[in-house]
Coordinates of all heavy atoms in Angstrom, one line a residue:
M1 N -10.3 36.3 51.4 CA -10.7 36.2 50.1 C -10.0 37.4 49.1 O -10.3 38.5 49.4 CB -12.2 36.4 49.9 CG -12.8 35.4 48.9 SD -14.4 35.6 48.7 CE -15.3 34.5 49.8
T2 N -9.0 36.9 48.4 CA -8.6 38.0 47.5 C -9.3 38.2 46.2 O -9.9 37.2 45.7 CB -7.1 37.6 47.1 OG1 -7.0 36.3 46.5 CG2 -6.2 37.7 48.3
E3 N -9.4 39.4 45.6 CA -10.1 39.6 44.5 C -9.3 39.8 43.3 O -8.5 40.9 43.2 CB -11.1 40.8 44.8 CG -12.2 40.7 43.6 CD -13.3 41.8 44.0 OE1 -13.8 41.8 45.2 OE2 -13.6 42.5 43.1
E4 N -9.1 38.9 42.6 CA -8.0 39.0 41.4 C -8.9 38.6 40.2 O -9.6 37.8 40.0 CB -6.9 37.9 41.5 CG -5.7 38.5 42.3 CD -4.7 37.3 42.4 OE1 -4.2 36.9 41.3 OE2 -4.4 36.9 43.6
K5 N -8.5 39.4 39.1 CA -9.1 39.2 38.0 C -8.4 38.2 37.0 O -7.1 38.1 37.1 CB -9.4 40.5 37.3 CG -10.3 41.4 37.8 CD -11.5 41.7 37.0 CE -12.6 42.4 37.7 NZ -13.3 43.2 37.0
C6 N -9.0 37.4 36.3 CA -8.2 36.6 35.3 C -8.9 36.7 34.0 O -10.1 37.3 33.9 CB -8.3 35.2 35.8 SG -10.1 34.5 35.5
A7 N -8.2 36.3 32.9 CA -8.7 36.5 31.5 C -10.1 35.9 31.4 O -10.8 36.3 30.6 CB -7.8 36.0 30.6
H8 N -10.3 34.7 32.0 CA -11.6 33.9 31.8 C -12.7 34.7 32.3 O -13.8 34.9 31.7 CB -11.4 32.6 32.6 CG -10.3 31.8 32.2 ND1 -9.2 31.7 33.0 CD2 -10.1 30.9 31.1 CE1 -8.4 30.8 32.5 NE2 -8.8 30.5 31.4
I9 N -12.5 35.4 33.6 CA -13.5 36.1 34.1 C -13.8 37.4 33.5 O -14.9 38.0 33.1 CB -13.2 36.4 35.6 CG1 -13.4 35.1 36.4 CG2 -14.2 37.5 36.3 CD1 -13.1 35.3 37.8
E10 N -12.7 38.1 32.9 CA -12.9 39.3 32.2 C -13.6 39.0 30.8 O -14.2 40.0 30.3 CB -11.4 39.9 32.0 CG -10.9 40.5 33.3 CD -9.7 41.5 33.1 OE1 -9.0 41.3 32.2 OE2 -9.6 42.4 33.9
A11 N -13.5 37.9 30.3 CA -14.2 37.6 29.1 C -15.6 37.6 29.1 O -16.3 37.5 28.2 CB -13.6 36.4 28.4
I12 N -16.2 37.4 30.4 CA -17.6 37.3 30.7 C -18.3 38.6 30.5 O -18.0 39.5 31.4 CB -17.9 36.4 31.9 CG1 -17.3 35.0 31.8 CG2 -19.3 36.5 32.3 CD1 -17.3 34.3 33.1
T13 N -19.2 38.8 29.8 CA -19.8 40.0 29.6 C -21.4 39.9 30.3 O -21.8 40.8 31.0 CB -20.1 40.6 28.1 OG1 -20.5 39.4 27.3 CG2 -18.7 41.0 27.7
T14 N -22.1 38.8 30.2 CA -23.4 38.5 30.6 C -23.1 37.2 31.5 O -22.8 36.2 31.0 CB -24.3 38.3 29.6 OG1 -24.2 39.3 28.7 CG2 -25.7 38.3 30.2
V15 N -23.5 37.4 32.8 CA -23.4 36.2 33.8 C -24.5 35.3 33.6 O -25.8 35.8 33.4 CB -23.3 36.8 35.2 CG1 -23.4 35.4 36.1 CG2 -22.1 37.6 35.5
K16 N -24.4 34.1 33.3 CA -25.6 33.1 33.1 C -26.2 32.8 34.4 O -25.4 32.6 35.4 CB -24.9 31.8 32.4 CG -24.6 32.0 31.0 CD -24.1 30.5 30.5 CE -24.0 30.7 29.0 NZ -22.8 31.3 28.6
R17 N -27.3 32.8 34.4 CA -28.2 32.4 35.7 C -28.7 31.0 35.6 O -28.7 30.4 34.5 CB -29.3 33.3 35.9 CG -29.1 34.9 35.8 CD -28.0 35.4 36.7 NE -28.4 35.0 38.1 CZ -27.5 35.3 39.2 NH1 -26.4 35.7 39.0 NH2 -28.0 35.0 40.3
A18 N -29.1 30.4 36.7 CA -29.6 29.1 36.7 C -31.0 28.9 36.1 O -31.8 29.9 36.3 CB -29.8 28.6 38.1
Q19 N -31.1 28.0 35.2 CA -32.3 27.8 34.6 C -33.4 27.3 35.5 O -34.5 27.7 35.5 CB -32.2 26.8 33.4 CG -31.2 27.1 32.4 CD -31.7 28.0 31.3 OE1 -32.7 28.2 31.0 NE2 -30.7 29.0 30.8
R20 N -33.0 26.3 36.3 CA -33.8 25.8 37.2 C -33.1 25.7 38.6 O -31.9 25.3 38.5 CB -34.4 24.4 36.9 CG -35.2 24.3 35.6 CD -35.5 22.9 35.3 NE -36.5 22.4 36.2 CZ -36.9 21.1 36.1 NH1 -36.4 20.3 35.3 NH2 -37.7 20.6 37.2
R21 N -33.6 25.8 39.7 CA -32.8 25.9 40.9 C -32.7 24.4 41.4 O -33.2 24.1 42.5 CB -33.6 26.8 42.0 CG -33.7 28.1 41.6 CD -33.8 29.1 42.7 NE -33.0 28.9 43.9 CZ -31.7 29.1 43.9 NH1 -31.1 29.7 42.9 NH2 -31.0 28.8 45.0
Q22 N -31.9 23.6 40.7 CA -31.6 22.3 41.1 C -30.2 22.0 40.4 O -29.9 22.5 39.4 CB -32.7 21.3 40.7 CG -32.9 21.2 39.2 CD -33.7 20.0 38.9 OE1 -34.7 19.6 39.7 NE2 -33.6 19.5 37.8
C23 N -29.6 21.1 41.2 CA -28.3 20.5 40.5 C -28.8 19.5 39.6 O -29.5 18.5 39.9 CB -27.4 20.0 41.6 SG -26.1 19.0 40.8
E24 N -28.5 19.6 38.2 CA -28.9 18.7 37.2 C -28.5 17.3 37.4 O -29.2 16.3 37.3 CB -28.4 19.1 35.9 CG -29.1 20.4 35.4 CD -28.3 21.1 34.4 OE1 -27.5 20.6 33.7 OE2 -28.6 22.4 34.2
E25 N -27.3 17.1 38.1 CA -26.6 15.8 38.4 C -27.4 15.1 39.5 O -27.7 14.0 39.6 CB -25.2 15.8 38.5 CG -24.4 16.2 37.2 CD -24.6 15.2 36.0 OE1 -24.7 14.1 36.4 OE2 -24.9 15.8 34.9
C26 N -27.5 15.8 40.7 CA -28.0 15.5 41.8 C -29.5 15.1 41.6 O -30.0 14.1 42.1 CB -28.2 16.5 43.0 SG -26.6 16.8 43.8
A27 N -30.3 15.8 40.7 CA -31.7 15.5 40.4 C -31.6 14.1 39.7 O -32.6 13.3 40.0 CB -32.2 16.5 39.5
K28 N -30.8 13.7 39.0 CA -30.7 12.5 38.4 C -30.5 11.3 39.3 O -31.1 10.2 39.1 CB -29.5 12.4 37.2 CG -29.9 13.0 35.9 CD -28.7 12.8 35.0 CE -28.4 14.0 34.1 NZ -27.2 14.0 33.5
I29 N -29.6 11.4 40.2 CA -29.2 10.4 41.1 C -30.0 10.5 42.5 O -29.8 9.6 43.4 CB -27.7 10.2 41.4 CG1 -27.1 11.6 42.0 CG2 -26.9 10.0 40.1 CD1 -25.8 11.5 42.5
G30 N -31.0 11.5 42.6 CA -31.7 11.6 43.9 C -30.9 12.1 45.1 O -31.2 11.8 46.2
S31 N -29.7 12.8 44.9 CA -28.9 13.3 45.9 C -29.3 14.8 46.2 O -30.1 15.3 45.6 CB -27.5 13.2 45.4 OG -26.7 13.8 46.5
R32 N -28.7 15.2 47.4 CA -28.9 16.5 47.9 C -27.8 17.5 47.5 O -26.7 17.0 47.4 CB -29.2 16.5 49.5 CG -30.5 15.8 49.8 CD -30.2 15.4 51.2 NE -31.5 14.8 51.9 CZ -32.2 15.6 52.4 NH1 -32.0 16.9 52.8 NH2 -33.4 15.2 52.9
W33 N -28.1 18.8 47.6 CA -26.9 19.7 47.5 C -27.2 20.8 48.5 O -28.3 20.9 49.0 CB -26.9 20.3 45.9 CG -28.4 21.0 45.7 CD1 -28.5 22.3 46.0 CD2 -29.6 20.5 45.1 NE1 -29.8 22.6 45.5 CE2 -30.5 21.5 45.0 CE3 -29.8 19.2 44.7 CZ2 -31.7 21.3 44.5 CZ3 -31.1 18.9 44.1 CH2 -32.0 20.0 44.0
V34 N -26.1 21.6 48.6 CA -26.2 22.7 49.6 C -26.3 24.0 48.9 O -27.2 24.7 49.1 CB -24.9 22.6 50.4 CG1 -24.8 23.8 51.4 CG2 -24.7 21.3 51.1
H35 N -25.4 24.3 48.0 CA -25.5 25.6 47.2 C -25.3 25.2 45.7 O -24.9 24.2 45.4 CB -24.3 26.6 47.7 CG -24.4 27.0 49.0 ND1 -23.3 26.8 49.9 CD2 -25.4 27.5 49.8 CE1 -23.7 27.2 51.1 NE2 -24.9 27.7 50.9
L36 N -25.9 26.1 44.9 CA -25.7 25.9 43.5 C -24.9 26.9 42.7 O -24.8 28.0 43.3 CB -27.2 26.2 42.8 CG -28.2 25.0 43.3 CD1 -29.7 25.4 42.8 CD2 -27.9 23.7 42.7
R37 N -24.2 26.3 41.8 CA -23.3 27.1 40.9 C -23.7 26.9 39.4 O -24.2 25.8 39.0 CB -21.9 26.5 41.1 CG -21.4 26.5 42.5 CD -21.2 27.9 43.2 NE -20.8 27.8 44.5 CZ -21.5 28.4 45.6 NH1 -22.8 28.9 45.3 NH2 -21.0 28.3 46.9
V38 N -23.3 28.0 38.6 CA -23.8 27.9 37.2 C -22.4 28.0 36.5 O -21.6 28.8 36.5 CB -24.6 29.0 36.8 CG1 -25.0 28.9 35.3 CG2 -26.0 28.9 37.7
C39 N -22.3 27.0 35.7 CA -21.1 27.0 34.6 C -21.3 28.1 33.6 O -22.4 28.3 33.0 CB -21.0 25.7 33.9 SG -19.6 25.8 32.7
Q40 N -20.3 29.1 33.5 CA -20.4 30.2 32.7 C -20.0 29.8 31.2 O -20.3 30.7 30.3 CB -19.6 31.3 33.1 CG -20.1 31.8 34.5 CD -21.5 32.3 34.5 OE1 -21.8 33.3 33.7 NE2 -22.4 31.7 35.2
E41 N -19.7 28.7 31.0 CA -19.3 28.3 29.6 C -20.6 27.7 29.0 O -20.9 28.0 27.9 CB -18.4 27.1 29.6 CG -17.7 26.9 28.3 CD -16.6 27.8 27.8 OE1 -16.1 28.7 28.7 OE2 -16.4 28.0 26.7
C42 N -21.3 26.7 29.5 CA -22.4 26.1 29.0 C -23.6 26.3 29.8 O -24.7 25.7 29.3 CB -22.0 24.5 28.9 SG -22.0 23.7 30.5
G43 N -23.7 27.0 30.9 CA -24.9 27.2 31.7 C -25.4 26.1 32.5 O -26.6 26.1 33.0
A44 N -24.7 25.1 32.6 CA -25.0 24.0 33.6 C -25.1 24.3 34.9 O -24.2 25.0 35.4 CB -24.0 22.8 33.2
T45 N -26.1 24.0 35.5 CA -26.3 24.2 37.1 C -25.8 22.9 37.9 O -26.4 21.8 37.7 CB -27.8 24.5 37.5 OG1 -28.2 25.6 36.5 CG2 -27.9 24.9 38.9
R46 N -24.8 23.2 38.7 CA -24.3 22.1 39.6 C -24.1 22.5 40.9 O -24.1 23.7 41.3 CB -22.9 21.6 38.8 CG -22.9 21.3 37.4 CD -23.4 19.8 37.4 NE -23.3 19.2 36.1 CZ -24.2 19.4 35.1 NH1 -25.3 20.1 35.3 NH2 -24.0 18.8 34.0
C47 N -23.9 21.5 41.8 CA -23.8 21.8 43.2 C -22.4 22.2 43.7 O -21.3 21.7 43.0 CB -24.3 20.6 44.0 SG -23.6 19.1 43.6
C48 N -22.2 22.9 44.7 CA -20.9 23.4 45.3 C -20.1 22.3 46.1 O -20.6 21.2 46.3 CB -21.2 24.5 46.3 SG -22.0 23.9 47.8
D49 N -19.0 22.9 46.5 CA -18.0 21.8 47.2 C -18.5 21.5 48.8 O -17.9 20.7 49.3 CB -16.6 22.5 47.3 CG -15.9 22.2 46.0 OD1 -16.5 21.6 45.0 OD2 -14.8 22.7 45.8
D50 N -19.5 22.2 49.1 CA -20.1 21.8 50.4 C -21.1 20.6 50.3 O -21.5 20.1 51.4 CB -20.8 22.9 51.2 CG -19.8 24.0 51.5 OD1 -18.5 23.7 51.8 OD2 -20.2 25.3 51.6
S51 N -21.5 20.4 49.0 CA -22.5 19.4 48.8 C -21.7 18.1 48.5 O -20.6 18.0 48.4 CB -23.1 19.7 47.5 OG -23.6 20.9 47.3
P52 N -22.5 16.9 49.0 CA -21.7 15.6 49.0 C -21.1 15.3 47.7 O -20.1 14.8 47.6 CB -22.8 14.7 49.4 CG -23.9 15.4 49.9 CD -23.8 16.8 49.4
S53 N -21.7 15.7 46.6 CA -21.0 15.1 45.3 C -20.3 16.1 44.5 O -19.6 15.7 43.6 CB -22.4 14.8 44.3 OG -23.2 13.8 44.9
R54 N -20.3 17.4 45.0 CA -19.3 18.4 44.4 C -19.6 18.5 42.8 O -18.5 18.4 42.2 CB -18.0 18.1 44.8 CG -17.8 18.3 46.2 CD -16.3 18.0 46.8 NE -16.3 18.1 48.2 CZ -15.3 18.2 48.9 NH1 -14.0 18.1 48.2 NH2 -15.2 18.4 50.2
H55 N -20.6 18.5 42.3 CA -20.9 18.3 40.9 C -20.2 19.5 40.1 O -19.7 19.3 38.9 CB -22.3 18.2 40.6 CG -22.8 16.7 40.9 ND1 -23.9 16.5 41.6 CD2 -22.2 15.4 40.5 CE1 -24.0 15.2 41.7 NE2 -23.1 14.6 41.1
A56 N -20.3 20.8 40.5 CA -19.7 21.9 39.9 C -18.2 21.7 39.6 O -17.7 21.9 38.4 CB -19.9 23.1 40.7
T57 N -17.5 21.3 40.7 CA -16.0 21.0 40.5 C -15.8 20.0 39.5 O -14.9 19.9 38.7 CB -15.4 20.7 41.9 OG1 -15.6 21.9 42.6 CG2 -13.9 20.4 41.8
K58 N -16.5 18.8 39.6 CA -16.4 17.8 38.9 C -16.6 18.1 37.3 O -15.9 17.7 36.4 CB -17.3 16.5 39.2 CG -16.9 15.7 40.3 CD -17.8 14.6 40.6 CE -17.5 14.0 41.9 NZ -18.4 13.3 42.7
H59 N -17.7 18.9 37.1 CA -18.0 19.3 35.8 C -16.9 20.2 35.2 O -16.5 20.0 34.2 CB -19.3 20.2 35.8 CG -19.6 20.9 34.5 ND1 -20.2 20.1 33.4 CD2 -19.5 22.2 34.2 CE1 -20.4 21.0 32.4 NE2 -20.0 22.2 32.9
A60 N -16.3 21.0 36.1 CA -15.4 22.0 35.6 C -14.0 21.2 35.2 O -13.3 21.4 34.1 CB -14.9 22.9 36.7
R61 N -13.7 20.2 35.9 CA -12.5 19.3 35.7 C -12.8 18.6 34.4 O -11.9 18.4 33.5 CB -12.2 18.4 36.8 CG -11.8 19.0 38.0 CD -10.5 18.3 38.8 NE -10.2 19.1 40.0 CZ -10.6 18.8 41.1 NH1 -11.5 17.7 41.4 NH2 -10.2 19.5 42.3
A62 N -13.8 17.8 34.3 CA -14.3 17.1 33.3 C -14.4 17.7 31.9 O -14.0 17.3 30.9 CB -15.5 16.1 33.4
S63 N -15.0 19.0 32.0 CA -15.2 19.7 30.7 C -14.2 20.8 30.3 O -14.3 21.3 29.3 CB -16.7 20.2 30.8 OG -16.7 21.2 31.9
K64 N -13.4 21.1 31.4 CA -12.4 22.2 31.2 C -13.1 23.5 31.1 O -12.6 24.4 30.3 CB -11.5 22.0 30.0 CG -10.7 20.6 30.0 CD -9.3 20.9 30.6 CE -8.3 19.8 30.4 NZ -8.8 18.4 31.0
H65 N -14.3 23.6 31.6 CA -15.0 24.9 31.8 C -14.5 25.7 32.9 O -14.8 25.2 34.0 CB -16.6 24.7 31.8 CG -17.1 24.1 30.4 ND1 -18.3 23.6 30.4 CD2 -16.6 23.9 29.2 CE1 -18.6 23.1 29.0 NE2 -17.5 23.3 28.4
P66 N -13.8 26.8 32.8 CA -13.1 27.4 33.8 C -14.0 28.2 34.8 O -13.6 28.1 36.0 CB -12.1 28.3 33.1 CG -12.8 28.7 31.9 CD -13.6 27.5 31.5
V67 N -15.0 28.7 34.5 CA -15.7 29.7 35.4 C -17.1 29.3 35.9 O -17.8 28.9 35.0 CB -15.8 31.1 34.7 CG1 -16.3 32.3 35.8 CG2 -14.3 31.8 34.4
I68 N -17.4 29.5 37.0 CA -18.6 29.3 37.6 C -19.2 30.5 38.3 O -18.2 31.4 38.8 CB -18.7 28.1 38.8 CG1 -17.7 28.4 39.8 CG2 -18.6 26.8 38.0 CD1 -18.0 27.5 41.1
A69 N -20.4 30.8 38.3 CA -21.1 31.9 39.1 C -21.9 31.3 40.3 O -22.4 30.1 40.1 CB -22.0 32.7 38.3
S70 N -22.0 31.8 41.4 CA -22.9 31.4 42.5 C -24.3 31.6 41.8 O -24.6 32.5 41.3 CB -22.7 32.2 43.7 OG -23.7 31.8 44.7
A71 N -25.2 30.6 42.2 CA -26.6 30.7 41.9 C -27.5 31.0 43.0 O -28.6 31.0 43.1 CB -27.2 29.5 41.2
E72 N -26.8 31.4 44.1 CA -27.5 31.6 45.4 C -28.0 33.1 45.4 O -27.3 34.0 44.9 CB -26.5 31.4 46.6 CG -26.1 30.0 46.7 CD -27.1 29.0 46.8 OE1 -28.3 29.2 47.7 OE2 -27.3 27.9 46.1
P73 N -29.3 33.2 46.0 CA -29.9 34.6 45.9 C -28.9 35.5 46.8 O -28.5 35.2 47.8 CB -31.2 34.4 46.5 CG -31.5 32.9 46.5 CD -30.2 32.2 46.4
G74 N -28.7 36.6 46.2 CA -27.9 37.7 46.9 C -26.4 37.4 46.7 O -25.7 38.5 47.1
E75 N -26.0 36.5 46.1 CA -24.5 36.3 45.9 C -24.2 36.7 44.5 O -24.9 36.2 43.5 CB -24.1 34.8 46.2 CG -24.2 34.6 47.7 CD -23.6 33.1 47.9 OE1 -23.0 32.6 47.0 OE2 -23.8 32.7 49.2
R76 N -23.3 37.6 44.2 CA -22.9 37.9 43.0 C -21.4 37.9 42.8 O -20.6 38.7 43.0 CB -23.3 39.5 42.8 CG -24.8 39.6 42.8 CD -25.2 41.0 42.8 NE -24.7 41.9 41.5 CZ -25.4 41.8 40.5 NH1 -26.5 41.1 40.4 NH2 -25.0 42.4 39.4
W77 N -21.0 36.6 42.6 CA -19.4 36.4 42.4 C -19.2 35.3 41.3 O -20.1 34.5 41.1 CB -18.7 36.2 43.7 CG -19.3 35.0 44.5 CD1 -20.1 35.2 45.6 CD2 -19.0 33.7 44.3 NE1 -20.4 33.9 46.1 CE2 -19.8 32.9 45.3 CE3 -18.3 32.9 43.4 CZ2 -19.8 31.5 45.5 CZ3 -18.3 31.5 43.6 CH2 -19.0 30.8 44.6
L78 N -18.1 35.4 40.7 CA -17.6 34.4 39.8 C -16.3 33.8 40.2 O -15.6 34.5 41.0 CB -17.3 35.1 38.4 CG -18.5 35.8 37.8 CD1 -18.0 36.8 36.7 CD2 -19.4 34.8 37.1
Y79 N -16.1 32.5 40.1 CA -15.0 31.8 40.5 C -14.3 31.1 39.2 O -14.9 30.5 38.5 CB -15.2 30.8 41.5 CG -14.0 30.0 41.9 CD1 -13.0 30.7 42.7 CD2 -13.9 28.7 41.5 CE1 -11.8 29.9 43.1 CE2 -12.7 28.0 41.9 CZ -11.8 28.7 42.6 OH -10.6 27.9 42.9
C80 N -12.9 31.3 39.0 CA -12.2 30.6 38.0 C -11.4 29.5 38.6 O -10.6 29.8 39.4 CB -11.4 31.7 37.2 SG -10.2 30.8 36.1
Y81 N -11.7 28.3 38.2 CA -10.8 27.2 38.7 C -9.4 27.3 38.4 O -8.6 27.1 39.2 CB -11.6 25.8 38.2 CG -12.7 25.4 38.9 CD1 -14.0 25.7 38.5 CD2 -12.7 24.7 40.2 CE1 -15.2 25.4 39.1 CE2 -13.8 24.4 40.9 CZ -15.0 24.8 40.2 OH -16.1 24.4 41.0
P82 N -9.0 27.3 37.1 CA -7.6 27.3 36.7 C -6.7 28.4 37.5 O -5.6 28.1 37.8 CB -7.5 27.3 35.2 CG -9.0 27.6 34.8 CD -9.9 27.3 35.8
D83 N -7.3 29.5 37.6 CA -6.6 30.6 38.1 C -6.8 30.8 39.7 O -6.3 31.5 40.2 CB -6.9 31.9 37.4 CG -6.4 31.9 36.0 OD1 -5.2 31.6 35.8 OD2 -7.2 32.2 35.1
D84 N -7.8 30.0 40.2 CA -8.2 30.1 41.6 C -8.5 31.6 41.9 O -8.2 32.1 42.9 CB -7.1 29.6 42.5 CG -7.6 29.5 44.0 OD1 -8.8 29.3 44.2 OD2 -6.9 29.6 44.9
A85 N -9.3 32.3 41.0 CA -9.6 33.7 41.1 C -11.1 33.9 41.4 O -11.8 33.1 40.9 CB -9.1 34.4 39.9
I86 N -11.3 34.7 42.3 CA -12.8 35.1 42.5 C -13.0 36.6 42.2 O -12.1 37.4 42.4 CB -13.0 34.6 44.0 CG1 -14.7 34.8 44.1 CG2 -12.4 35.6 45.0 CD1 -15.2 33.9 45.3
A87 N -14.1 36.9 41.7 CA -14.5 38.3 41.4 C -16.0 38.5 41.6 O -16.8 37.7 41.2 CB -14.1 38.6 39.9
E88 N -16.2 39.7 42.2 CA -17.7 40.0 42.4 C -18.1 40.9 41.2 O -17.3 41.4 40.5 CB -17.8 40.8 43.7 CG -17.6 40.0 44.9 CD -17.9 40.6 46.2 OE1 -18.9 41.6 46.1 OE2 -17.5 40.3 47.2
Y89 N -19.3 40.9 40.9 CA -19.8 41.6 39.8 C -21.0 42.5 40.2 O -21.6 42.2 41.3 CB -20.2 40.7 38.6 CG -21.2 39.8 38.8 CD1 -22.6 40.1 38.5 CD2 -20.8 38.5 39.4 CE1 -23.5 39.1 38.8 CE2 -21.8 37.7 39.6 CZ -23.2 37.9 39.3 OH -24.3 36.9 39.5
Ligands
ZN1 ZN1 -9.2 32.3 34.8
ZN2 ZN1 -24.9 17.9 42.5
ZN3 ZN1 -20.0 23.8 31.5

C-alpha cells in the first residue's frame, strides 16, 4: 500500500463520518454488505468492494465524487478513485 497524496484528499479538512451504520443502497434492496465507506463529497454511506453490490465504487463512478473514507471502527484512511491514492489521517 503506497501512501500518496492527491489534490482531492488534500482538500479535505474534516472527514465525514457515517450518519448510520448501514449502506443506504443495500438497505433499500435488502442486500448485505461487508464494510462501509463514506463519500467525502456528499456524505453518502455505501458498501466496499468486498460487498456483493460494491455501492461505494458505483456511487463514485456515477456521481464523480472522488474520495471515500473507511467507516469501519479503528480505520482512519481516505481513498481517491481517480488518482488511486490512499492516505491515512
Ligand atoms: Zn485525487
Ligand atoms: Zn451496498
Ligand atoms: Zn457522494
Side-chain angles (χ1 to χ4, degrees):
M1 222 189 259
T2 53
E3 202 171 306
E4 269 181 61
K5 291 246 171 148
C6 72
H8 306 104
I9 289 174
E10 286 196 332
I12 292 169
T13 51
T14 310
V15 175
K16 289 185 171 67
R17 311 301 302 172
Q19 305 280 326
R20 302 177 64 187
R21 293 202 49 77
Q22 62 173 29
C23 170
E24 293 158 14
E25 294 299 321
C26 283
K28 275 184 218 163
I29 60 175
S31 184
R32 292 159 172 263
W33 60 88
V34 179
H35 299 124
L36 293 172
R37 308 293 181 238
V38 181
C39 174
Q40 294 301 297
E41 193 80 23
C42 66
T45 305
R46 297 286 187 273
C47 55
C48 71
D49 282 359
D50 293 330
S51 310
S53 303
R54 302 182 175 186
H55 285 125
T57 296
K58 280 181 189 159
H59 172 76
R61 291 224 180 95
S63 61
K64 301 260 193 307
H65 292 164
V67 181
I68 53 164
S70 174
E72 296 304 312
E75 290 188 9
R76 296 171 62 85
W77 53 261
L78 300 160
Y79 175 74
C80 174
Y81 282 97
D83 292 311
D84 191 28
I86 191 160
E88 294 189 24
Y89 62 89

